[in-house]
Amino acid sequence: MNLVKAWDILKENGYKETSKRNQILELFVNDDRYLTARDLLDVMQKDYPSMSYDTVYRNLATFVSLGILEETELSGERHFRMHCESDSHHHHFICMDCGKIKEIPVCPMDMLGAALPAYEIDNHKFEIYGKCPACK
Amino acid sequence: MNLVKAWDILKENGYKETSKRNQILELFVNDDRYLTARDLLDVMQKDYPSMSYDTVYRNLATFVSLGILEETELSGERHFRMHCESDSHHHHFICMDCGKIKEIPVCPMDMLGAALPAYEIDNHKFEIYGKCPACK
DNA sequence: ATGTAAATCGTAATCATTCTTAATTAGAAA
DNA sequence: TTTCTAATTAAGAATGATTACGATTTACAT
């Protein structure tokens, strides 16, 4: 996902263009990893010392709901990153050191199609955790 | 996992037998679902009105570290349940209504063995969420 | 029965997250 | 360009889960 595409989505849904939103998005475009709300606020406050948690969390929630960012829970904290470019369903290897991801193109649900009759399947989560080659 | 086995593990590791520990374990043995610390405290306080969060969380952490309980994060809260009997590696379907689980005997990592060379794989998570037949 | 380390209680502190109210701002309309 | 209005933000209080701490109690080895 890039800036232009993100703004297209935001504009389509009637959201206004603010410098803070833009800088949050730029940060995610340039820093391709999972970040916490706290991480984000720390970086943003270098340019906007008065930025509050509310702004961070409100915009993160907006971006996630529009599919601009994706979210996961790592060691008890919510982490956010720019949604991948690839529009096909996939999963992630996540480096627990640097937060960078590697896309895993296969989905285990493909092989479980009929394995759970009578169950209503609403969602699933498949993530692999470890160290990427650079951090190992 | 049953009470006897759980106490074997606790004793092996030098933990003392207390009535509260026993009642927490009994509760998990009899209520085969994912519960939050809050759920647990609410039930326990019927018999031990003075039980504190500290006791709940401390024992939950102990039980998880010894492999007596297993833990997962559901909609922003930690949930705990008795560790499954089956000692072979498996995953879970989790009913988001009643918290009950169904074991999924297959593991997607089996098919990804060599797909991530140069990566150090420490852990992985595969869970399926939805409604069980009873709740559907 | 006694001593000691472990366990628990009661409560305060902490951390992430959400909420509230008032002030500011982007973008539409005049 | 100026005005208007709804969206956005700031500042900080409130919430809810979790952890920490000093004082007290308890399990159990001796």
Short mmCIF file of all heavy atoms in Angstrom, two decimals, chain D residues 8-22:
data_model
loop_
_atom_site.label_atom_id
_atom_site.label_comp_id
_atom_site.label_asym_id
_atom_site.label_seq_id
_atom_site.Cartn_x
_atom_site.Cartn_y
_atom_site.Cartn_z
P DT D 8 -12.60 13.33 10.09
OP1 DT D 8 -11.80 12.89 8.94
OP2 DT D 8 -13.36 12.37 10.93
"O5'" DT D 8 -11.62 14.14 11.08
"C5'" DT D 8 -10.85 15.20 10.54
"C4'" DT D 8 -10.08 15.88 11.66
"O4'" DT D 8 -11.00 16.55 12.53
"C3'" DT D 8 -9.27 14.94 12.55
"O3'" DT D 8 -7.90 15.25 12.37
"C2'" DT D 8 -9.77 15.23 13.97
"C1'" DT D 8 -10.43 16.59 13.81
N1 DT D 8 -11.53 16.92 14.77
C2 DT D 8 -11.39 18.00 15.59
O2 DT D 8 -10.40 18.72 15.58
N3 DT D 8 -12.46 18.25 16.42
C4 DT D 8 -13.63 17.52 16.51
O4 DT D 8 -14.51 17.84 17.28
C5 DT D 8 -13.71 16.38 15.61
C7 DT D 8 -14.93 15.53 15.62
C6 DT D 8 -12.67 16.14 14.80
P DT D 9 -6.79 14.41 13.14
OP1 DT D 9 -5.57 14.46 12.33
OP2 DT D 9 -7.37 13.12 13.56
"O5'" DT D 9 -6.55 15.29 14.45
"C5'" DT D 9 -6.16 16.65 14.30
"C4'" DT D 9 -6.15 17.34 15.65
"O4'" DT D 9 -7.51 17.41 16.14
"C3'" DT D 9 -5.35 16.61 16.73
"O3'" DT D 9 -4.25 17.42 17.10
"C2'" DT D 9 -6.33 16.41 17.88
"C1'" DT D 9 -7.46 17.38 17.55
N1 DT D 9 -8.81 16.97 18.00
C2 DT D 9 -9.48 17.76 18.90
O2 DT D 9 -9.02 18.80 19.37
N3 DT D 9 -10.73 17.32 19.25
C4 DT D 9 -11.36 16.18 18.79
O4 DT D 9 -12.48 15.87 19.17
C5 DT D 9 -10.59 15.38 17.85
C7 DT D 9 -11.18 14.12 17.30
C6 DT D 9 -9.37 15.82 17.50
P DA D 10 -3.24 16.96 18.22
OP1 DA D 10 -1.93 17.55 17.88
OP2 DA D 10 -3.36 15.51 18.44
"O5'" DA D 10 -3.80 17.71 19.51
"C5'" DA D 10 -4.02 19.10 19.44
"C4'" DA D 10 -4.25 19.67 20.83
"O4'" DA D 10 -5.58 19.32 21.28
"C3'" DA D 10 -3.30 19.16 21.91
"O3'" DA D 10 -3.02 20.24 22.79
"C2'" DA D 10 -4.09 18.04 22.59
"C1'" DA D 10 -5.53 18.49 22.43
N9 DA D 10 -6.51 17.44 22.18
C8 DA D 10 -6.35 16.32 21.41
N7 DA D 10 -7.43 15.58 21.33
C5 DA D 10 -8.37 16.26 22.09
C6 DA D 10 -9.71 16.00 22.41
N6 DA D 10 -10.38 14.93 21.96
N1 DA D 10 -10.35 16.88 23.19
C2 DA D 10 -9.69 17.96 23.63
N3 DA D 10 -8.43 18.31 23.41
C4 DA D 10 -7.82 17.42 22.62
P DA D 11 -1.90 20.15 23.88
OP1 DA D 11 -1.37 21.52 24.08
OP2 DA D 11 -0.99 19.04 23.51
"O5'" DA D 11 -2.68 19.72 25.19
"C5'" DA D 11 -3.73 20.56 25.68
"C4'" DA D 11 -4.43 19.85 26.81
"O4'" DA D 11 -5.37 18.90 26.26
"C3'" DA D 11 -3.48 19.06 27.71
"O3'" DA D 11 -3.57 19.59 29.02
"C2'" DA D 11 -3.96 17.62 27.61
"C1'" DA D 11 -5.40 17.77 27.09
N9 DA D 11 -5.87 16.67 26.27
C8 DA D 11 -5.15 15.88 25.41
N7 DA D 11 -5.85 14.96 24.80
C5 DA D 11 -7.13 15.14 25.29
C6 DA D 11 -8.35 14.49 25.04
N6 DA D 11 -8.47 13.45 24.20
N1 DA D 11 -9.46 14.94 25.69
C2 DA D 11 -9.33 15.97 26.54
N3 DA D 11 -8.24 16.66 26.86
C4 DA D 11 -7.16 16.19 26.20
P DG D 12 -2.67 18.94 30.23
OP1 DG D 12 -2.33 20.05 31.15
OP2 DG D 12 -1.61 18.07 29.67
"O5'" DG D 12 -3.74 18.02 30.96
"C5'" DG D 12 -5.10 18.46 31.05
"C4'" DG D 12 -5.99 17.26 31.30
"O4'" DG D 12 -6.20 16.50 30.10
"C3'" DG D 12 -5.43 16.28 32.34
"O3'" DG D 12 -6.49 15.90 33.18
"C2'" DG D 12 -5.01 15.10 31.48
"C1'" DG D 12 -6.15 15.14 30.48
N9 DG D 12 -6.00 14.29 29.30
C8 DG D 12 -4.86 14.00 28.60
N7 DG D 12 -5.07 13.17 27.61
C5 DG D 12 -6.42 12.89 27.68
C6 DG D 12 -7.24 12.06 26.88
O6 DG D 12 -6.91 11.39 25.91
N1 DG D 12 -8.57 12.09 27.28
C2 DG D 12 -9.05 12.81 28.34
N2 DG D 12 -10.35 12.70 28.61
N3 DG D 12 -8.30 13.58 29.10
C4 DG D 12 -7.00 13.58 28.71
P DA D 13 -6.18 15.42 34.69
OP1 DA D 13 -5.96 16.62 35.52
OP2 DA D 13 -5.19 14.34 34.66
"O5'" DA D 13 -7.60 14.79 35.07
"C5'" DA D 13 -8.79 15.37 34.53
"C4'" DA D 13 -9.77 14.27 34.18
"O4'" DA D 13 -9.38 13.62 32.94
"C3'" DA D 13 -9.85 13.17 35.24
"O3'" DA D 13 -11.21 12.83 35.44
"C2'" DA D 13 -9.06 12.02 34.62
"C1'" DA D 13 -9.34 12.22 33.14
N9 DA D 13 -8.30 11.68 32.23
C8 DA D 13 -6.96 11.95 32.25
N7 DA D 13 -6.29 11.34 31.31
C5 DA D 13 -7.25 10.62 30.62
C6 DA D 13 -7.19 9.75 29.51
N6 DA D 13 -6.05 9.47 28.86
N1 DA D 13 -8.35 9.20 29.07
C2 DA D 13 -9.48 9.50 29.72
N3 DA D 13 -9.68 10.29 30.78
C4 DA D 13 -8.50 10.83 31.19
P DA D 14 -11.63 11.66 36.46
OP1 DA D 14 -12.93 12.06 37.04
OP2 DA D 14 -10.47 11.34 37.32
"O5'" DA D 14 -11.89 10.42 35.50
"C5'" DA D 14 -12.88 10.53 34.48
"C4'" DA D 14 -13.03 9.18 33.82
"O4'" DA D 14 -11.87 8.91 33.01
"C3'" DA D 14 -13.17 8.00 34.79
"O3'" DA D 14 -14.21 7.17 34.30
"C2'" DA D 14 -11.80 7.32 34.73
"C1'" DA D 14 -11.37 7.61 33.29
N9 DA D 14 -9.93 7.65 33.05
C8 DA D 14 -8.99 8.34 33.77
N7 DA D 14 -7.76 8.21 33.29
C5 DA D 14 -7.93 7.40 32.19
C6 DA D 14 -7.01 6.89 31.25
N6 DA D 14 -5.70 7.15 31.27
N1 DA D 14 -7.49 6.09 30.26
C2 DA D 14 -8.81 5.84 30.24
N3 DA D 14 -9.77 6.26 31.05
C4 DA D 14 -9.26 7.05 32.02
P DT D 15 -14.74 5.93 35.16
OP1 DT D 15 -16.20 5.89 35.02
OP2 DT D 15 -14.09 5.98 36.49
"O5'" DT D 15 -14.15 4.69 34.38
"C5'" DT D 15 -14.36 4.58 32.96
"C4'" DT D 15 -13.51 3.47 32.42
"O4'" DT D 15 -12.13 3.89 32.38
"C3'" DT D 15 -13.54 2.18 33.25
"O3'" DT D 15 -14.06 1.16 32.43
"C2'" DT D 15 -12.08 1.93 33.62
"C1'" DT D 15 -11.34 2.73 32.56
N1 DT D 15 -9.98 3.21 32.89
C2 DT D 15 -8.95 2.87 32.05
O2 DT D 15 -9.09 2.18 31.05
N3 DT D 15 -7.72 3.37 32.40
C4 DT D 15 -7.44 4.17 33.51
O4 DT D 15 -6.30 4.56 33.72
C5 DT D 15 -8.56 4.48 34.35
C7 DT D 15 -8.36 5.31 35.57
C6 DT D 15 -9.77 3.99 34.01
P DG D 16 -14.73 -0.16 33.09
OP1 DG D 16 -16.09 -0.28 32.59
OP2 DG D 16 -14.44 -0.13 34.55
"O5'" DG D 16 -13.85 -1.32 32.45
"C5'" DG D 16 -13.04 -1.08 31.30
"C4'" DG D 16 -11.90 -2.07 31.27
"O4'" DG D 16 -10.67 -1.38 31.57
"C3'" DG D 16 -12.00 -3.19 32.30
"O3'" DG D 16 -11.54 -4.38 31.70
"C2'" DG D 16 -11.11 -2.74 33.43
"C1'" DG D 16 -10.00 -2.03 32.63
N9 DG D 16 -9.27 -1.03 33.38
C8 DG D 16 -9.72 -0.27 34.44
N7 DG D 16 -8.81 0.55 34.91
C5 DG D 16 -7.69 0.30 34.12
C6 DG D 16 -6.41 0.88 34.16
O6 DG D 16 -5.98 1.75 34.92
N1 DG D 16 -5.58 0.35 33.18
C2 DG D 16 -5.95 -0.63 32.28
N2 DG D 16 -5.01 -1.03 31.40
N3 DG D 16 -7.14 -1.17 32.23
C4 DG D 16 -7.96 -0.66 33.18
P DA D 17 -11.53 -5.77 32.49
OP1 DA D 17 -12.39 -6.70 31.74
OP2 DA D 17 -11.75 -5.54 33.93
"O5'" DA D 17 -10.02 -6.22 32.30
"C5'" DA D 17 -9.48 -6.25 30.98
"C4'" DA D 17 -7.97 -6.31 31.06
"O4'" DA D 17 -7.49 -5.13 31.72
"C3'" DA D 17 -7.44 -7.51 31.85
"O3'" DA D 17 -6.41 -8.12 31.10
"C2'" DA D 17 -6.93 -6.89 33.15
"C1'" DA D 17 -6.56 -5.48 32.71
N9 DA D 17 -6.65 -4.48 33.77
C8 DA D 17 -7.73 -4.20 34.56
N7 DA D 17 -7.51 -3.24 35.43
C5 DA D 17 -6.20 -2.86 35.20
C6 DA D 17 -5.38 -1.89 35.79
N6 DA D 17 -5.77 -1.08 36.78
N1 DA D 17 -4.12 -1.76 35.32
C2 DA D 17 -3.72 -2.56 34.32
N3 DA D 17 -4.41 -3.51 33.68
C4 DA D 17 -5.66 -3.61 34.17
P DT D 18 -5.71 -9.44 31.63
OP1 DT D 18 -5.17 -10.13 30.46
OP2 DT D 18 -6.63 -10.13 32.56
"O5'" DT D 18 -4.47 -8.88 32.47
"C5'" DT D 18 -3.48 -8.12 31.78
"C4'" DT D 18 -2.49 -7.55 32.77
"O4'" DT D 18 -3.15 -6.64 33.66
"C3'" DT D 18 -1.81 -8.59 33.67
"O3'" DT D 18 -0.43 -8.60 33.32
"C2'" DT D 18 -2.07 -8.09 35.09
"C1'" DT D 18 -2.44 -6.64 34.87
N1 DT D 18 -3.30 -6.01 35.89
C2 DT D 18 -2.81 -4.94 36.61
O2 DT D 18 -1.67 -4.51 36.45
N3 DT D 18 -3.68 -4.41 37.53
C4 DT D 18 -4.97 -4.82 37.79
O4 DT D 18 -5.66 -4.26 38.64
C5 DT D 18 -5.43 -5.94 37.00
C7 DT D 18 -6.82 -6.47 37.20
C6 DT D 18 -4.59 -6.47 36.10
P DT D 19 0.59 -9.54 34.07
OP1 DT D 19 1.66 -9.86 33.13
OP2 DT D 19 -0.15 -10.59 34.78
"O5'" DT D 19 1.19 -8.55 35.18
"C5'" DT D 19 1.75 -7.33 34.74
"C4'" DT D 19 2.27 -6.55 35.93
"O4'" DT D 19 1.16 -6.08 36.73
"C3'" DT D 19 3.16 -7.36 36.87
"O3'" DT D 19 4.34 -6.59 37.06
"C2'" DT D 19 2.32 -7.49 38.16
"C1'" DT D 19 1.46 -6.24 38.10
N1 DT D 19 0.14 -6.28 38.78
C2 DT D 19 -0.16 -5.29 39.68
O2 DT D 19 0.61 -4.39 39.97
N3 DT D 19 -1.41 -5.39 40.25
C4 DT D 19 -2.37 -6.35 40.01
O4 DT D 19 -3.46 -6.33 40.57
C5 DT D 19 -1.98 -7.37 39.05
C7 DT D 19 -2.94 -8.46 38.72
C6 DT D 19 -0.76 -7.28 38.49
P DA D 20 5.51 -7.08 38.02
OP1 DA D 20 6.79 -6.69 37.39
OP2 DA D 20 5.25 -8.48 38.40
"O5'" DA D 20 5.29 -6.17 39.31
"C5'" DA D 20 5.02 -4.79 39.15
"C4'" DA D 20 5.00 -4.14 40.52
"O4'" DA D 20 3.67 -4.26 41.08
"C3'" DA D 20 5.96 -4.76 41.53
"O3'" DA D 20 6.54 -3.71 42.27
"C2'" DA D 20 5.05 -5.66 42.38
"C1'" DA D 20 3.74 -4.88 42.34
N9 DA D 20 2.52 -5.69 42.46
C8 DA D 20 2.23 -6.86 41.81
N7 DA D 20 1.04 -7.35 42.07
C5 DA D 20 0.51 -6.43 42.97
C6 DA D 20 -0.73 -6.37 43.63
N6 DA D 20 -1.69 -7.30 43.47
N1 DA D 20 -0.96 -5.33 44.44
C2 DA D 20 0.00 -4.41 44.58
N3 DA D 20 1.21 -4.36 44.01
C4 DA D 20 1.40 -5.41 43.21
P DC D 21 7.66 -3.98 43.36
OP1 DC D 21 8.63 -2.87 43.25
OP2 DC D 21 8.11 -5.39 43.24
"O5'" DC D 21 6.88 -3.83 44.74
"C5'" DC D 21 6.04 -2.68 44.96
"C4'" DC D 21 5.52 -2.73 46.39
"O4'" DC D 21 4.26 -3.43 46.39
"C3'" DC D 21 6.44 -3.47 47.35
"O3'" DC D 21 6.48 -2.80 48.58
"C2'" DC D 21 5.78 -4.84 47.48
"C1'" DC D 21 4.30 -4.47 47.35
N1 DC D 21 3.44 -5.57 46.86
C2 DC D 21 2.09 -5.59 47.24
O2 DC D 21 1.66 -4.69 47.96
N3 DC D 21 1.30 -6.60 46.79
C4 DC D 21 1.80 -7.55 46.01
N4 DC D 21 0.97 -8.51 45.61
C5 DC D 21 3.16 -7.55 45.62
C6 DC D 21 3.93 -6.55 46.06
P DG D 22 7.72 -3.07 49.60
OP1 DG D 22 8.62 -1.90 49.51
OP2 DG D 22 8.24 -4.44 49.38
"O5'" DG D 22 7.00 -3.03 51.01
"C5'" DG D 22 6.08 -1.98 51.31
"C4'" DG D 22 5.07 -2.45 52.34
"O4'" DG D 22 4.18 -3.43 51.73
"C3'" DG D 22 5.70 -3.15 53.55
"O3'" DG D 22 5.00 -2.75 54.72
"C2'" DG D 22 5.54 -4.63 53.24
"C1'" DG D 22 4.23 -4.65 52.44
N9 DG D 22 4.13 -5.73 51.49
C8 DG D 22 5.13 -6.26 50.70
N7 DG D 22 4.73 -7.23 49.92
C5 DG D 22 3.39 -7.37 50.22
C6 DG D 22 2.42 -8.26 49.70
O6 DG D 22 2.55 -9.14 48.84
N1 DG D 22 1.16 -8.05 50.27
C2 DG D 22 0.88 -7.10 51.22
N2 DG D 22 -0.37 -7.05 51.66
N3 DG D 22 1.78 -6.27 51.72
C4 DG D 22 3.00 -6.45 51.17
#
